[in-house]
Amino acid sequence: MNKTILVTGASKGIGRAIAERLGRDNFRIVVHYGRDHAGAAETLSMIQKNGSDGRLISFDIADREACKTVIEQDIETHGPLYGVVLNAGITDDAAFPAMEGGAWDRVLRTNLDGFYNVLHPIILPMVSARKGGRVVVMSSVSGVVGNRGQTNYSATKAGLIGAAKSLAVELAKRKITVNCVAPGLIDTGMLEGLPLDKIMDAIPLRRVGTVAEVAGAVSFLCSDEASYITRQVLSVNGGMA
């Protein structure tokens, strides 16, 4: 398969699992990283060991000019992308009365602006290629139902759902689908320090999810079988919402 998908934030965790799974699905993967070159290189090595191929790409998703420059150069060299998984993002949690303006700005400038910064240079070449395409935006249960101490993060993840739904309408006639995946509590390093015993009461399935389960949802939305699915939010959260 010659279709190429960019996965942002693919140097570890959910992003790495998504990149590996899509590689096993015979997509060529553009492995994005911000600063963790070693992690991204390890992800790419895993993809190659599984029989697929790819390349590394690096930029700060909050830096609009850097995104534009690097992505346009990549497309000029390798051609338009078939798909994008917008996975990269940050958290900076605090109760709202104690949340500093800098924390609000950093999370919005990264998570929400990153949608525009990454996708804007990609979409027109994708449309011009006339081969359809897939866009999967990683939201969160926090963007669906909100979460204590995450007003900034929840605002971005809810905003991404709105942006994705609007873009889905615009791109539908081009056979480019746009969907969201909204994970709940997933077994990554982000769970360290959380009171999991108490949190389990809010999860009907009474366990945290795995990165493989999230990657499976993304894989489906990128597949041919999902060609009639667009403008949707697929929650992977054990029944939390």
Side-chain angles (χ1 to χ4, degrees):
M1 180 180 292
N2 294 320
K3 294 176 179 177
T4 301
I5 295 182
L6 165 65
V7 181
T8 67
S11 60
K12 61 183 178 182
I14 292 174
R16 171 178 285 178
I18 292 169
E20 286 188 79
R21 173 58 187 268
L22 291 175
R24 290 199 302 272
D25 292 340
N26 294 319
F27 289 102
R28 182 179 293 112
I29 308 300
V30 183
V31 178
H32 163 266
Y33 66 98
R35 293 182 295 272
D36 186 5
H37 177 271
E42 186 175 348
T43 300
L44 180 58
S45 176
M46 292 175 178
I47 291 168
Q48 292 170 334
K49 287 179 181 177
N50 288 330
S52 189
D53 197 9
R55 57 185 181 272
L56 299 179
I57 194 171
S58 180
F59 49 79
D60 178 357
I61 66 169
D63 186 333
R64 183 164 300 160
E65 288 305 313
C67 290
K68 183 176 186 293
T69 298
V70 175
I71 291 170
E72 286 182 347
Q73 288 176 348
D74 184 81
I75 291 174
E76 182 177 352
T77 302
H78 299 284
L81 294 164
Y82 174 76
V84 185
V85 180
L86 295 180
N87 169 75
I90 64 170
T91 59
D92 198 341
D93 298 349
F96 188 73
M99 183 176 290
E100 298 180 353
W104 178 271
D105 292 341
R106 280 190 299 276
V107 174
L108 264 70
R109 295 293 78 79
T110 302
N111 297 358
L112 195 52
D113 285 4
F115 178 95
Y116 178 91
N117 297 345
V118 175
L119 282 182
H120 196 260
I122 290 171
I123 293 302
L124 185 56
M126 185 185 292
V127 168
S128 298
R130 299 187 178 185
K131 295 181 179 179
R134 300 284 185 269
V135 177
V136 179
V137 180
M138 301 304 293
S139 181
S140 168
V141 65
S142 295
V144 177
V145 298
N147 192 31
R148 182 188 301 271
Q150 289 192 318
T151 52
N152 52 359
Y153 184 73
S154 295
T156 64
K157 293 301 185 176
L160 288 172
I161 291 173
K165 285 178 176 286
S166 294
L167 186 60
V169 175
E170 292 187 21
L171 297 180
K173 64 183 178 181
R174 308 294 186 176
K175 298 182 180 179
I176 299 171
T177 65
V178 185
N179 293 288
C180 293
V181 171
L185 286 174
I186 306 301
D187 188 11
T188 67
M190 294 180 69
L191 294 187
E192 293 180 7
L194 295 180
L196 292 181
D197 291 343
K198 296 180 180 179
I199 293 172
M200 288 303 161
D201 291 338
I203 306 174
L205 284 181
R206 292 295 190 271
R207 68 173 178 86
V208 297
T210 68
V211 293
E213 289 168 323
V214 178
V218 174
S219 172
F220 170 66
L221 291 174
C222 289
S223 71
D224 291 341
E225 287 81 0
S227 60
Y228 198 55
I229 300 173
T230 195
R231 209 184 183 194
Q232 303 304 307
V233 180
L234 178 52
S235 291
V236 185
N237 61 25
M240 291 178 70

